[in-house]
Amino acid sequence: MKEKFDVTGMTCSACSSRVEKCVSRLDGIKNVSVNLLTNSMQVEYDEQTLSEGQIINAVVKAGYGASPKGNPAPGAIPKTDALGGKRENPAEKQMKNMKMRLIVSFVFLFPLMYVTMGHMVGLPLPSFLDGAENGVSFAFTQLLLCLPIIYVNRNYYSKGFRTLFHLAPNMDSLIAIGSCASLVYGIFAIYRMSYGLGHGDMELVHRYYHDLYFESAAMILALITVGKYLEARSKGKTSEAITKLMDLAPKTAVVERGGRETEIPVEQVQAGDIVVVRPGSSIPVDGFIVEGSTSVDEAAITGESIPVHKQVNDTVIAATMNKTGFIRFKATRVGDDTTFSQIIRLVEEASSSKAPIAKIADKIAGVFVPVVIAVAVITAIVWLLSGATFEFALSCAISVLVISCPCALGLATPVAIMVGTGKGAENGILIKSGEALEMAHNVQSVVLDKTGTITQGKPAVTNVETELSAKKFLAVAAGLEEKSEHPLAEAILEFTKKKQILPERVTDFVSVPGRGVKGKISGEWYFAGNRRMMEEQGISLVKYEKRLNALADEGKTPMLFANEREILGIISVADIVKSTSREAIRQLKEEGIEVVMLTGDNKRTAEAIRKQLSIDTVIAEVLPGDKEREIARLQEQGKKVAMIGDGVNDAPALARADVGMAIGAGTDVAIESADVVLMKSDLLDAVTAIRLSKAVIRNIKQNLFWAFFYNSLGIPVAAGVFYHAFGLKLNPMIGAAAMSMSSIFVVTNALRLKSFRVSHAKDLHKENAEEAMLQSNEIEEQNDKDENQEVKKMITMKINGMMCPHCQAAVKKALEAFDGVTADVSLEDKAAYITGHADVEALKKAVTDAGYEVVSAE
């Protein structure tokens, strides 16, 4: 049995790891996965051996809270308020709480720092706090200013010490011990000064007057809270993804019951119901058409940018859009069984099963904290046994804890991540969490969606080939497509509008589903559509077969235009590759990353894109589940996988991937499901994100090394190891200075990330954009030169005398000697298929001069 639980009280990856370990020890557990980001746990267990209550008890014993998904634990916030409205997002509530704690911390930290450090820079102190004779007032004021900071951040103590008592210390344990050590020493100093003042021992008062470390306790809590607030803010919107996904599904459906059409909630539709869908409406459930035909926009499911023609017996899928026709269909899969519901479930499961990222600092903390505590205790015991005073032994033990203060260790990761995410934002890369930034540096495979990610996601005209004048041919094409609602028609009309072509007047317009359109111009029938339409009209395509196949191999969709007798020309439409996609893929491969393209498009189009961009692997005609499974397959091979996509259909794969990257121009659901958002919709930014991640991780490792080095170097000195030999004993003031130095070093080192440079220059974008513009608008520029000029005239020339490949090459060379002419010469057909601008007689003469006989040219 599989079940989900909400888990409360987790603050770092050590927490999620602890929960996972405790639950996995139970008999009957098959699989358990804890997700820190969503504060959830997915458990697969044998219900004959184990109960839900036992699982919850295991989590509670580990020091955390748990409840079945959707059933809040006692005291937890209900899913709806008293008025039935939606409850507040827990992540947003946590962020508000962290913000309040941050404000309170700094409101009291600033005056505390003034009192403790102000005199060092010549700032005046009130008379009642100045001088050793006011030492107790001076210390007590600091304690009072420190207490509110400790109170608002008390969670660090409660969670830190609880996990410590469970022998599983985490970052909260480090924070609690470090700040608590400073606080206890400060209180101890107050008592010693009181004793000194009471007994007239001013030397004792002077000794402790500057040995107060309340500011250290407060500073540790305040700085860590800054990092926690930024972390909470990054998590604020993650839980909205599923809600937005569900909002795409229709809420009602029109069904036929008792001979009448009735609108009912989609949840009440039953398998076998006849559902009615009109143009412009969403399809509410899965089924197959029993009446009518239409074009259906399936972009939400397949990612295919061009609507698909549907007729009787074809299947339709929930949440897709009916574009043009009226249909009646029989419901086959309803409720949780629909394809769209499965997408939602995949997103939820992929998100829940994402393995928690083990923070380097947490790993160190697991060893560092127990060692430091042990050293401090041993230090005190050894000095007491050697005859030292209790005060001396306590001072040495506290010095060990102070110099081992985890402030720098705690800052090492969040400060670098803070600067790294800020640098990403400057360059249009929105990194939602530190986990994503950490994971990106390990990426070994990048999986790319095609439509809208590699390509523009919008059809555009790429080729116009005709034997008529450009102006006349395009006027006929515009006239036929003007009344069509097909996206390819929109591309053609947009093209002709730019060229200021006036459409021919078309009468008796007819849309032929799955074929194209037809209409009369000046009393004669004209046709626009696919190969099937031309064949049904009895129009020969023999001389165009190779050209049509060549265009298809290039990933283009050829639209044929004809009158009642012959083909007039071809307009090719394609989803154009973005200007920077080729360079981005090249740079990814330079980084040693495997590039995989997944698409719902046909294999021919996908293969054309693969060849054009030198992509390692391409998988075509895939559905959302296939994309998610392909990610899982790569992960099973031990690879760290990044997924880059833009559509709702990419959401499960984005959630399953180790790092999900969404294109900024994509759907809200894709953006919400992703860990990284590329705001400029530029694949080169994915390369930058990976390189930025590597720079941040390198910086974090440097920070951790130096933090650990600074904190550990002084431990032998603090413990008094060198006291008898050299009289060297570490004053807590020096310990605090070492702690401060390590913190300053960590922050300064992290700030070096601000000098990180993006992996591509602006001129590259400009250069690629200009190149793409030239490629996509090549035919437009030709039209600009002469509106009456022939546009890529197509000629079939029958030739006798060609016997071998040498002959074939000779004819090809003779024809292509003319500027702008390309020739496909076939020995089998004894023909040359010529495209370009040249006089037919000149072409004939060239072939004749080469020693061959021209039979015909048309």
Side-chain angles (χ1 to χ4, degrees):
M1 179 178 179
K2 260 189 182 180
E3 192 163 356
K4 278 187 170 184
F5 296 84
D6 290 319
V7 181
T8 58
M10 297 190 299
T11 57
C12 70
S13 56
C15 300
S16 57
S17 179
R18 166 93 177 142
V19 172
E20 199 166 293
K21 284 178 183 176
C22 289
V23 174
S24 62
R25 289 194 194 111
L26 295 173
D27 292 334
I29 290 289
K30 295 177 182 176
N31 185 43
V32 57
S33 176
V34 179
N35 189 300
L36 176 64
L37 194 64
T38 57
N39 291 314
S40 64
M41 175 175 67
Q42 187 167 282
V43 182
E44 187 177 355
Y45 64 99
D46 181 359
E47 54 188 325
Q48 303 297 324
T49 311
L50 199 61
S51 69
E52 186 182 89
Q54 288 173 298
I55 294 170
I56 292 173
N57 285 337
V59 177
V60 172
K61 284 179 182 177
Y64 305 91
S67 62
K69 190 78 173 176
N71 298 315
I77 307 169
K79 287 192 177 290
T80 55
D81 57 27
L83 299 175
K86 289 183 180 179
R87 68 172 173 86
E88 185 177 20
N89 187 322
E92 290 179 2
K93 183 177 176 64
Q94 181 189 8
M95 188 172 69
K96 287 179 183 177
N97 179 263
M98 294 299 296
K99 188 175 182 180
M100 180 274 294
R101 286 165 55 182
L102 192 62
I103 292 170
V104 172
S105 296
F106 278 92
V107 162
F108 286 95
L109 182 63
F110 287 130
L112 175 60
M113 296 306 293
Y114 180 89
V115 171
T116 56
M117 304 289 187
H119 63 282
M120 296 181 184
V121 292
L123 296 175
L125 275 176
S127 57
F128 65 89
L129 298 179
D130 197 16
E133 63 276 9
N134 293 311
V136 172
S137 299
F138 178 70
F140 196 66
T141 300
Q142 291 182 43
L143 176 61
L144 290 177
L145 288 170
C146 191
L147 288 175
I149 299 173
I150 292 170
Y151 179 75
V152 294
N153 293 295
R154 62 192 178 279
N155 278 350
Y156 292 130
Y157 294 100
S158 58
K159 291 177 183 175
F161 286 119
R162 184 167 65 238
T163 55
L164 188 62
F165 295 150
H166 282 96
L167 302 179
N170 61 3
M171 284 302 296
D172 287 340
S173 305
L174 289 170
I175 297 162
I177 291 172
S179 60
C180 202
S182 299
L183 183 67
V184 169
Y185 187 82
I187 293 171
F188 172 75
I190 290 177
Y191 279 101
R192 295 303 292 155
M193 283 192 292
S194 297
Y195 179 85
L197 287 171
H199 290 76
D201 187 352
M202 294 307 291
E203 183 184 345
L204 182 64
V205 175
H206 275 288
R207 192 194 315 164
Y208 286 101
Y209 184 70
H210 292 300
D211 277 0
L212 299 169
Y213 301 106
F214 292 116
E215 79 280 4
S216 295
M219 183 68 80
I220 291 167
L221 296 173
L223 291 179
I224 296 298
T225 301
V226 171
K228 291 285 186 180
Y229 169 69
L230 293 170
E231 184 184 337
R233 199 168 74 168
S234 72
K235 292 181 181 179
K237 293 185 177 181
T238 54
S239 58
E240 293 178 8
I242 302 298
T243 304
K244 288 193 175 183
L245 192 57
M246 294 176 73
D247 286 344
L248 288 177
K251 305 297 183 289
T252 60
V254 177
V255 299
E256 290 185 354
R257 288 182 180 172
R260 293 191 306 173
E261 291 184 7
T262 308
E263 187 171 8
I264 61 172
V266 73
E267 294 84 3
Q268 294 178 16
V269 178
Q270 299 175 3
D273 279 344
I274 300 298
V275 183
V276 175
V277 184
R278 291 178 169 78
S281 299
S282 289
I283 293 169
V285 294
D286 294 0
F288 63 90
I289 297 175
V290 295
E291 180 187 328
S293 64
T294 185
S295 288
V296 177
D297 183 352
E298 296 185 339
I301 302 298
T302 67
E304 176 64 72
S305 54
I306 298 173
V308 180
H309 175 69
K310 300 283 185 179
Q311 56 191 17
V312 174
N313 292 327
D314 285 344
T315 59
V316 290
I317 303 172
T320 56
M321 179 65 70
N322 179 23
K323 301 288 284 186
T324 56
F326 173 88
I327 57 170
R328 294 168 66 244
F329 73 91
K330 188 172 185 177
T332 54
R333 293 197 295 180
V334 299
D336 292 338
D337 293 329
T338 66
T339 303
F340 199 71
S341 294
Q342 289 171 12
I343 291 177
I344 294 172
R345 187 165 66 251
L346 282 170
V347 173
E348 288 179 328
E349 289 180 359
S351 180
S352 296
S353 64
K354 191 181 290 184
I357 301 166
K359 301 284 188 186
I360 300 172
D362 280 316
K363 289 181 179 179
I364 295 174
V367 178
F368 186 63
V369 176
V371 168
V372 167
I373 295 170
V375 170
V377 171
I378 291 169
T379 296
I381 292 171
V382 168
W383 279 114
L384 287 171
L385 292 175
S386 66
T389 63
F390 176 78
E391 180 183 326
F392 184 90
L394 182 61
S395 174
C396 287
I398 292 176
S399 290
V400 168
L401 290 172
V402 169
I403 199 169
S404 303
C405 174
C407 187
L409 195 58
L411 285 172
T413 301
V415 173
I417 286 175
M418 186 195 316
V419 178
T421 51
K423 192 66 184 177
E426 284 177 22
N427 292 286
I429 302 166
L430 179 61
I431 300 167
K432 290 186 177 182
S433 66
E435 287 85 354
L437 190 60
E438 281 189 62
M439 185 59 74
H441 88 288
N442 283 325
V443 167
Q444 295 161 297
S445 293
V446 169
V447 178
L448 305 172
D449 174 52
K450 181 187 80 71
T451 306
T453 302
I454 294 176
T455 64
Q456 299 284 2
K458 181 182 178 184
V461 172
T462 59
N463 301 73
V464 176
E465 304 172 28
T466 181
E467 296 181 7
L468 303 176
S469 72
K471 191 170 184 179
K472 183 178 180 181
F473 174 64
L474 291 172
V476 170
L480 287 169
E481 300 292 1
E482 193 173 28
K483 296 179 181 179
S484 173
E485 296 180 358
H486 199 283
L488 296 186
E490 292 176 18
I492 292 170
L493 290 171
E494 186 178 334
F495 178 80
T496 55
K497 188 176 180 182
K498 283 182 183 176
K499 304 310 303 168
Q500 298 181 341
I501 302 289
L502 290 176
E504 289 279 6
R505 184 172 178 274
V506 175
T507 58
D508 298 334
F509 175 84
V510 179
S511 176
V512 184
R515 308 289 192 277
V517 297
K518 63 181 180 178
K520 284 185 177 180
I521 299 176
S522 302
E524 183 180 3
W525 282 103
Y526 283 78
F527 308 91
N530 56 23
R531 187 189 301 252
R532 192 183 303 173
M533 183 169 200
M534 300 303 152
E535 289 170 349
E536 288 177 358
Q537 299 302 320
I539 298 169
S540 174
L541 294 173
V542 174
K543 71 184 261 189
Y544 300 99
E545 286 290 349
K546 290 200 172 182
R547 183 59 185 157
L548 292 174
N549 290 335
L551 288 168
D553 287 339
E554 292 171 16
K556 298 172 181 177
T557 302
M559 296 280 288
L560 295 160
F561 293 83
N563 57 20
E564 295 173 356
R565 299 174 301 281
E566 62 183 352
I567 298 293
L568 301 177
I570 301 171
I571 296 180
S572 301
V573 178
D575 190 0
I576 298 171
V577 172
K578 289 181 182 177
S579 59
T580 55
S581 293
R582 180 184 283 103
E583 178 63 17
I585 289 166
R586 186 190 69 77
Q587 291 193 24
L588 284 169
K589 292 172 78 171
E590 258 184 17
E591 293 287 324
I593 296 171
E594 175 191 18
V595 180
V596 180
M597 183 177 81
L598 297 184
T599 178
D601 275 350
N602 62 72
K603 290 179 181 177
R604 197 173 224 173
T605 300
E607 183 61 21
I609 298 292
R610 187 195 72 76
K611 289 178 180 176
Q612 185 181 347
L613 301 178
S614 300
I615 294 170
D616 296 316
T617 308
V618 62
I619 301 173
E621 298 176 2
V622 294
L623 290 175
D626 298 322
K627 291 186 180 184
E628 192 262 352
R629 279 194 294 274
E630 181 63 21
I631 298 291
R633 185 185 67 78
L634 288 168
Q635 288 173 329
E636 285 168 7
Q637 295 173 11
K639 295 177 179 177
K640 298 295 182 186
V641 183
M643 168 71 191
I644 307 175
D646 72 322
V648 172
N649 61 300
D650 298 319
L654 287 167
R656 168 69 67 185
D658 297 288
V659 181
M661 297 187 185
I663 295 296
T667 62
D668 287 346
V669 173
I671 289 171
E672 290 296 338
S673 297
D675 304 300
V676 179
V677 182
L678 310 178
M679 300 303 291
K680 291 183 286 192
S681 302
D682 187 346
L683 270 184
L684 276 168
D685 286 338
V687 182
T688 301
I690 291 170
R691 289 177 176 168
L692 176 63
S693 170
K694 290 181 178 179
V696 169
I697 294 304
R698 187 164 55 247
N699 192 278
I700 287 173
K701 288 178 178 177
Q702 293 167 354
N703 286 347
L704 287 172
F705 169 78
W706 286 107
F708 188 81
F709 174 77
Y710 273 117
N711 282 321
S712 302
L713 187 64
I715 288 179
V717 181
V721 171
F722 306 108
Y723 182 70
H724 286 304
F726 306 103
L728 187 62
K729 175 183 176 295
L730 183 69
N731 187 293
M733 172 72 82
I734 299 172
M739 181 272 288
S740 300
M741 189 184 298
S742 62
S743 299
I744 292 167
F745 180 90
V746 162
V747 173
T748 306
N749 188 47
L751 289 174
R752 289 192 309 111
L753 287 168
K754 285 186 174 288
S755 63
F756 174 84
R757 293 188 178 182
V758 295
S759 59
H760 48 280
K762 290 181 181 177
D763 58 349
L764 176 63
H765 285 273
K766 185 177 178 182
E767 182 183 309
N768 286 342
E770 288 172 355
E771 181 185 342
M773 186 73 73
L774 287 171
Q775 290 173 349
S776 63
N777 296 326
E778 180 186 26
I779 191 61
E780 293 186 47
E781 292 177 4
Q782 291 174 355
N783 288 342
D784 285 337
K785 292 176 183 176
D786 183 0
E787 288 293 352
N788 296 312
Q789 183 181 334
E790 293 178 342
V791 181
K792 287 197 175 179
K793 178 184 282 187
M794 295 183 300
I795 301 168
T796 301
M797 184 180 288
K798 293 291 184 179
I799 304 168
N800 280 340
M802 293 190 298
M803 306 296 291
C804 65
H806 176 75
C807 300
Q808 182 183 24
V811 171
K812 183 177 177 69
K813 183 178 179 181
L815 291 170
E816 292 187 345
F818 293 87
D819 288 340
V821 171
T822 57
D824 182 8
V825 182
S826 170
L827 281 176
E828 185 181 342
D829 298 344
K830 296 188 182 303
Y833 302 97
I834 305 162
T835 305
H837 308 277
D839 181 68
V840 176
E841 293 304 319
L843 292 171
K844 283 182 178 180
K845 186 175 184 304
V847 174
T848 303
D849 290 346
Y852 303 93
E853 179 189 352
V854 177
V855 178
S856 65
E858 55 184 29

mmCIF file of all heavy atoms in Angstrom, residues 111-123 125 138 142 212-213 215-216 219 733 740:
data_model
loop_
_atom_site.group_PDB
_atom_site.id
_atom_site.type_symbol
_atom_site.label_atom_id
_atom_site.label_comp_id
_atom_site.label_asym_id
_atom_site.label_seq_id
_atom_site.Cartn_x
_atom_site.Cartn_y
_atom_site.Cartn_z
ATOM 1 N N PRO A 111 21.071 47.984 18.742
ATOM 2 C CA PRO A 111 21.471 48.632 20.013
ATOM 3 C C PRO A 111 22.434 47.768 20.829
ATOM 4 O O PRO A 111 23.305 48.294 21.528
ATOM 5 C CB PRO A 111 20.140 48.837 20.748
ATOM 6 C CG PRO A 111 19.146 47.958 20.073
ATOM 7 C CD PRO A 111 19.602 47.826 18.664
ATOM 8 N N LEU A 112 22.281 46.430 20.732
ATOM 9 C CA LEU A 112 23.187 45.541 21.451
ATOM 10 C C LEU A 112 24.623 45.713 20.939
ATOM 11 O O LEU A 112 25.566 45.807 21.733
ATOM 12 C CB LEU A 112 22.736 44.087 21.270
ATOM 13 C CG LEU A 112 23.650 42.999 21.871
ATOM 14 C CD1 LEU A 112 23.804 43.187 23.380
ATOM 15 C CD2 LEU A 112 23.103 41.604 21.562
ATOM 16 N N MET A 113 24.777 45.792 19.615
ATOM 17 C CA MET A 113 26.105 45.984 19.041
ATOM 18 C C MET A 113 26.673 47.354 19.397
ATOM 19 O O MET A 113 27.886 47.511 19.588
ATOM 20 C CB MET A 113 26.051 45.812 17.506
ATOM 21 C CG MET A 113 25.668 44.417 17.044
ATOM 22 S SD MET A 113 26.710 43.113 17.736
ATOM 23 C CE MET A 113 28.272 43.492 16.956
ATOM 24 N N TYR A 114 25.799 48.348 19.509
ATOM 25 C CA TYR A 114 26.261 49.696 19.905
ATOM 26 C C TYR A 114 26.824 49.661 21.317
ATOM 27 O O TYR A 114 27.900 50.206 21.602
ATOM 28 C CB TYR A 114 25.092 50.686 19.826
ATOM 29 C CG TYR A 114 25.476 52.099 20.226
ATOM 30 C CD1 TYR A 114 25.966 52.996 19.282
ATOM 31 C CD2 TYR A 114 25.356 52.527 21.553
ATOM 32 C CE1 TYR A 114 26.339 54.285 19.654
ATOM 33 C CE2 TYR A 114 25.723 53.805 21.929
ATOM 34 C CZ TYR A 114 26.213 54.686 20.973
ATOM 35 O OH TYR A 114 26.581 55.962 21.351
ATOM 36 N N VAL A 115 26.098 48.989 22.208
ATOM 37 C CA VAL A 115 26.542 48.931 23.612
ATOM 38 C C VAL A 115 27.849 48.151 23.732
ATOM 39 O O VAL A 115 28.769 48.558 24.442
ATOM 40 C CB VAL A 115 25.442 48.281 24.493
ATOM 41 C CG1 VAL A 115 25.964 48.011 25.908
ATOM 42 C CG2 VAL A 115 24.211 49.181 24.552
ATOM 43 N N THR A 116 27.954 47.035 23.019
ATOM 44 C CA THR A 116 29.133 46.172 23.189
ATOM 45 C C THR A 116 30.347 46.653 22.395
ATOM 46 O O THR A 116 31.485 46.520 22.843
ATOM 47 C CB THR A 116 28.811 44.729 22.738
ATOM 48 O OG1 THR A 116 28.346 44.750 21.388
ATOM 49 C CG2 THR A 116 27.752 44.106 23.631
ATOM 50 N N MET A 117 30.130 47.203 21.231
ATOM 51 C CA MET A 117 31.252 47.549 20.342
ATOM 52 C C MET A 117 31.420 49.043 20.102
ATOM 53 O O MET A 117 32.421 49.457 19.516
ATOM 54 C CB MET A 117 31.046 46.863 18.959
ATOM 55 C CG MET A 117 30.872 45.367 19.032
ATOM 56 S SD MET A 117 32.398 44.527 19.478
ATOM 57 C CE MET A 117 31.919 42.814 19.265
ATOM 58 N N GLY A 118 30.437 49.835 20.513
ATOM 59 C CA GLY A 118 30.468 51.276 20.223
ATOM 60 C C GLY A 118 31.726 51.968 20.715
ATOM 61 O O GLY A 118 32.323 52.788 20.007
ATOM 62 N N HIS A 119 32.169 51.624 21.942
ATOM 63 C CA HIS A 119 33.346 52.307 22.518
ATOM 64 C C HIS A 119 34.614 52.017 21.728
ATOM 65 O O HIS A 119 35.578 52.776 21.774
ATOM 66 C CB HIS A 119 33.527 51.870 23.979
ATOM 67 C CG HIS A 119 33.805 50.411 24.136
ATOM 68 N ND1 HIS A 119 32.823 49.451 24.062
ATOM 69 C CD2 HIS A 119 34.976 49.745 24.346
ATOM 70 C CE1 HIS A 119 33.359 48.255 24.224
ATOM 71 N NE2 HIS A 119 34.671 48.410 24.398
ATOM 72 N N MET A 120 34.625 50.905 20.968
ATOM 73 C CA MET A 120 35.818 50.557 20.178
ATOM 74 C C MET A 120 36.046 51.521 19.021
ATOM 75 O O MET A 120 37.161 51.654 18.519
ATOM 76 C CB MET A 120 35.677 49.122 19.617
ATOM 77 C CG MET A 120 35.634 48.052 20.691
ATOM 78 S SD MET A 120 35.508 46.399 19.962
ATOM 79 C CE MET A 120 35.368 45.396 21.440
ATOM 80 N N VAL A 121 34.985 52.175 18.557
ATOM 81 C CA VAL A 121 35.117 53.139 17.460
ATOM 82 C C VAL A 121 34.870 54.562 17.927
ATOM 83 O O VAL A 121 34.582 55.454 17.130
ATOM 84 C CB VAL A 121 34.152 52.771 16.298
ATOM 85 C CG1 VAL A 121 34.578 51.488 15.634
ATOM 86 C CG2 VAL A 121 32.710 52.668 16.784
ATOM 87 N N GLY A 122 34.941 54.766 19.249
ATOM 88 C CA GLY A 122 34.847 56.116 19.802
ATOM 89 C C GLY A 122 33.447 56.632 20.020
ATOM 90 O O GLY A 122 33.255 57.828 20.267
ATOM 91 N N LEU A 123 32.439 55.731 19.946
ATOM 92 C CA LEU A 123 31.065 56.181 20.193
ATOM 93 C C LEU A 123 30.824 56.254 21.703
ATOM 94 O O LEU A 123 31.278 55.392 22.458
ATOM 95 C CB LEU A 123 30.064 55.209 19.546
ATOM 96 C CG LEU A 123 30.117 55.120 18.011
ATOM 97 C CD1 LEU A 123 29.159 54.041 17.507
ATOM 98 C CD2 LEU A 123 29.737 56.466 17.385
ATOM 99 N N LEU A 125 29.122 56.064 25.444
ATOM 100 C CA LEU A 125 28.165 55.228 26.169
ATOM 101 C C LEU A 125 27.498 56.061 27.251
ATOM 102 O O LEU A 125 28.117 56.992 27.801
ATOM 103 C CB LEU A 125 28.892 54.048 26.829
ATOM 104 C CG LEU A 125 29.145 52.799 25.980
ATOM 105 C CD1 LEU A 125 29.949 51.793 26.787
ATOM 106 C CD2 LEU A 125 27.843 52.153 25.523
ATOM 107 N N PHE A 138 26.256 47.298 32.748
ATOM 108 C CA PHE A 138 26.719 47.142 31.358
ATOM 109 C C PHE A 138 26.382 45.738 30.843
ATOM 110 O O PHE A 138 25.849 45.574 29.740
ATOM 111 C CB PHE A 138 28.238 47.384 31.343
ATOM 112 C CG PHE A 138 28.887 47.221 30.001
ATOM 113 C CD1 PHE A 138 28.669 48.137 28.975
ATOM 114 C CD2 PHE A 138 29.746 46.149 29.745
ATOM 115 C CE1 PHE A 138 29.284 47.991 27.738
ATOM 116 C CE2 PHE A 138 30.367 45.995 28.515
ATOM 117 C CZ PHE A 138 30.132 46.921 27.510
ATOM 118 N N GLN A 142 23.080 44.285 28.215
ATOM 119 C CA GLN A 142 23.305 43.414 27.061
ATOM 120 C C GLN A 142 22.421 42.165 27.133
ATOM 121 O O GLN A 142 21.859 41.723 26.122
ATOM 122 C CB GLN A 142 24.785 43.000 27.015
ATOM 123 C CG GLN A 142 25.737 44.137 26.676
ATOM 124 C CD GLN A 142 27.174 43.662 26.598
ATOM 125 O OE1 GLN A 142 27.440 42.616 26.031
ATOM 126 N NE2 GLN A 142 28.087 44.426 27.163
ATOM 127 N N LEU A 212 32.315 39.556 27.831
ATOM 128 C CA LEU A 212 30.871 39.315 27.712
ATOM 129 C C LEU A 212 30.573 39.013 26.238
ATOM 130 O O LEU A 212 30.934 39.800 25.371
ATOM 131 C CB LEU A 212 30.079 40.542 28.152
ATOM 132 C CG LEU A 212 30.306 40.966 29.610
ATOM 133 C CD1 LEU A 212 29.697 42.332 29.846
ATOM 134 C CD2 LEU A 212 29.681 39.946 30.555
ATOM 135 N N TYR A 213 29.909 37.904 25.981
ATOM 136 C CA TYR A 213 29.699 37.510 24.589
ATOM 137 C C TYR A 213 28.211 37.326 24.271
ATOM 138 O O TYR A 213 27.823 36.453 23.514
ATOM 139 C CB TYR A 213 30.508 36.235 24.290
ATOM 140 C CG TYR A 213 31.960 36.488 24.546
ATOM 141 C CD1 TYR A 213 32.582 35.963 25.672
ATOM 142 C CD2 TYR A 213 32.676 37.333 23.720
ATOM 143 C CE1 TYR A 213 33.903 36.242 25.938
ATOM 144 C CE2 TYR A 213 33.999 37.625 23.983
ATOM 145 C CZ TYR A 213 34.614 37.077 25.095
ATOM 146 O OH TYR A 213 35.921 37.375 25.368
ATOM 147 N N GLU A 215 26.605 39.469 22.533
ATOM 148 C CA GLU A 215 26.438 39.841 21.122
ATOM 149 C C GLU A 215 26.727 38.656 20.205
ATOM 150 O O GLU A 215 26.156 38.534 19.126
ATOM 151 C CB GLU A 215 27.333 41.038 20.756
ATOM 152 C CG GLU A 215 28.797 40.722 20.507
ATOM 153 C CD GLU A 215 29.606 40.568 21.788
ATOM 154 O OE1 GLU A 215 29.013 40.642 22.889
ATOM 155 O OE2 GLU A 215 30.817 40.377 21.697
ATOM 156 N N SER A 216 27.613 37.750 20.674
ATOM 157 C CA SER A 216 27.895 36.555 19.861
ATOM 158 C C SER A 216 26.662 35.663 19.788
ATOM 159 O O SER A 216 26.291 35.165 18.718
ATOM 160 C CB SER A 216 29.063 35.768 20.466
ATOM 161 O OG SER A 216 30.248 36.521 20.413
ATOM 162 N N MET A 219 24.178 37.486 17.554
ATOM 163 C CA MET A 219 24.613 37.563 16.156
ATOM 164 C C MET A 219 24.446 36.227 15.454
ATOM 165 O O MET A 219 24.031 36.160 14.294
ATOM 166 C CB MET A 219 26.072 38.018 16.102
ATOM 167 C CG MET A 219 26.615 38.192 14.691
ATOM 168 S SD MET A 219 25.856 39.575 13.814
ATOM 169 C CE MET A 219 26.797 40.945 14.506
ATOM 170 N N MET A 733 37.896 36.016 24.471
ATOM 171 C CA MET A 733 37.884 37.141 23.541
ATOM 172 C C MET A 733 38.566 36.745 22.226
ATOM 173 O O MET A 733 38.084 37.046 21.140
ATOM 174 C CB MET A 733 38.619 38.329 24.159
ATOM 175 C CG MET A 733 38.844 39.505 23.198
ATOM 176 S SD MET A 733 37.344 40.407 22.822
ATOM 177 C CE MET A 733 37.262 41.454 24.270
ATOM 178 N N SER A 740 34.654 35.379 14.666
ATOM 179 C CA SER A 740 34.262 36.510 13.823
ATOM 180 C C SER A 740 35.056 36.521 12.531
ATOM 181 O O SER A 740 34.527 36.786 11.451
ATOM 182 C CB SER A 740 34.476 37.827 14.574
ATOM 183 O OG SER A 740 33.695 37.850 15.742
#
